[in-house]
Amino acid sequence: MQKVKLLLVGIGGYAGTYLNPLLNGNFPNCEIVGCVDPFPQACPRISELNDLGVKIYSDMDNFFEDGNKADLCVISSPIHFHTKQIVTALKNGCQVLCEKPLCGDINDVDTLLCAEKEYGKYVSIGYQWSYSDAIQGLKRDILDGAFGKPVFLKTIVLWPRNKEYYTRGAGWAGKLRAKDGSLILDSVANNATAHYLHNIFYVLGDTVSTSAVPCDINAELYRANEIENYDTCKLTASFENGVKMLYIASHATETNCEPVFEYKFTNGTVYYNATGETPNIIGVFADGTKKDYGNPFDNHLNKFKQAVESVLNPELEPLCGIKAASVHTSVISKAQEFGIKDFPADKVKEKADGSAYYVEGLYEELMKAYLEA
C-alpha cells in the first residue's frame, strides 16, 4: 500500500491533535516524512520522532531544499505564519491542511487563492466543526429548505483564560502584529472561539463548501487582560437576505460557559448547548418534531481524513477551503476597525491566587444580552 507522505509544520501544542494518532498507528496509510518546528523540544513525543528517524527542520524551505517531497502538508503554526507556509507548501506540490484561522491579514486572501489555482492543489482550513457529521447533516437540511428561511442566528462562548495563556509559546498571544509588522490579530474571536463565529457563516453558505458573507457589521471590543488586542467581544451583523446574527465571546469572565447557539428559521429552530442535557445539535421544527444531528465535537479528525483523501482523489474539493474560511477573516478585519475599550479598572478583579483577571458581573451581563436577543 502506497502511503501518503506527510510534512507536519508545528509539532507542539495543538499539533498533537494530528501527531498523537499518527504515532499511535491510527493512520497506517500515512507516513511522516518530515517535521518543521523552531522549538521541537516543546513536543512531548519528540523522542519517538527521533527513534523513527524523522528529521526535524527549523524552516519549511530547508525541508524542500534538502530534496524532500510530501503529498500533504499539515500546518499547525501561529496565525502570522499561515500565508507564507501555505504558499510554500503549494509551490512544492503539497495538498494543504492549515489550522484556523486562515490568516491574520485579509489582504493575503487573494494571494492564497492565486497560489492554490497556480499550483493546482487544494487548501483545507481546520474548522473541525465544518467537517463534522453533525454540521454537515444540518447544513444539508438548511440547503434543502427543511427549516425554511433563516431569520436570526446567535452564539455565546465564555471561556476564562489565565495569565499564562497570554504568555505561552513564542509570545504572540493577544498580539496585533508580529515583530516584522505582519498582522496576527490574535483575539478571543480569532483563535480559541473562532470555530463558533465561523460556523454561523458556514451553515448559511449557499453550497456545501461556501460561507455566507455578512454586511452591516458592528463590533464592541473590550479588554481586561494586559494584552494588545481584545479578550471580549459582541458582534452583530446582517446578511443581504435580511438574516441577522449575534456573537458574544469572552476570556474575561469569572464563570465558564461552553458554546451555546440558537439558529432561528421560519420553519423551526436549531439548538445547541455543549453542557446541556445532550451535547448534540437538535433541530425543532414548527410542527414540534425534532431531529438529532449529533455532537459537532465528534469526528474531530474528519478534517485530516478529508485532507488525506484529497491526495488520493485530487478532484475532491475541501468542505472548508480558502473561500469559506476567508469570510471569518474578513469579519475579524472589519471588527478591528471599531477599536478596543478597556473595562473600567474598578470592575477588573484578580483571582486570589493571582493566576487570572476577570471582570466582575461580566458573565451575568453577557448571558443576559444573549438570552434577551
Side-chain angles (χ1 to χ4, degrees), residues 36 47 56 61 70 81 117 173 226 232 242 293 310 333 342 349-350:
V36 176
S47 61
I56 300 172
D61 290 331
F81 295 132
K117 183 177 181 180
E226 297 172 349
T232 300
Y293 290 94
S310 73
S333 178
D342 289 316
K349 307 297 181 182
E350 190 173 24

Side-chain angles (χ1 to χ4, degrees), residues 242-261:
V243 182
K244 296 186 181 299
M245 60 154 284
L246 166 68
Y247 185 77
I248 296 173
S250 180
H251 284 329
T253 56
E254 187 176 15
T255 306
N256 187 78
C257 172
E258 292 297 319
V260 176
F261 72 62

Side-chain angles (χ1 to χ4, degrees), residues 6 41 55 62 128 191-192 264 329:
L6 303 177
Q41 63 275 11
K55 193 168 182 179
N62 295 337
Q128 63 251 29
N191 195 340
K264 293 182 180 179
T329 301

Side-chain angles (χ1 to χ4, degrees), residues 219-231:
E220 297 177 35
L221 312 178
Y222 298 91
R223 173 175 52 209
N225 285 277
E226 297 172 349
I227 56 176
E228 294 178 0
N229 213 2
Y230 58 92
D231 54 36

Side-chain angles (χ1 to χ4, degrees), residues 4-8 33-34 63-64 68-73 89 92-95:
V4 174
K5 296 179 179 180
L6 303 177
L7 170 62
L8 303 183
V33 295
F63 171 82
F64 292 112
N68 297 301
K69 294 184 180 298
D71 301 310
L72 173 63
C73 179
N92 286 278
C94 300
Q95 301 279 40

Side-chain angles (χ1 to χ4, degrees), residues 65-105:
E65 288 167 359
D66 235 6
N68 297 301
K69 294 184 180 298
D71 301 310
L72 173 63
C73 179
V74 181
I75 299 173
S76 306
S77 61
I79 300 168
H80 50 298
F81 295 132
H82 287 183
T83 297
K84 181 179 183 297
Q85 291 175 340
I86 290 172
V87 172
T88 298
L90 292 171
K91 184 178 179 179
N92 286 278
C94 300
Q95 301 279 40
V96 179
L97 170 58
C98 180
E99 268 313 303
K100 56 76 188 166
L102 173 62
C103 57
D105 191 341

Side-chain angles (χ1 to χ4, degrees), residues 3-7 22 27-34:
K3 294 188 176 183
V4 174
K5 296 179 179 180
L6 303 177
L7 170 62
L22 285 165
F27 294 95
N29 62 332
C30 295
E31 176 188 5
I32 303 172
V33 295

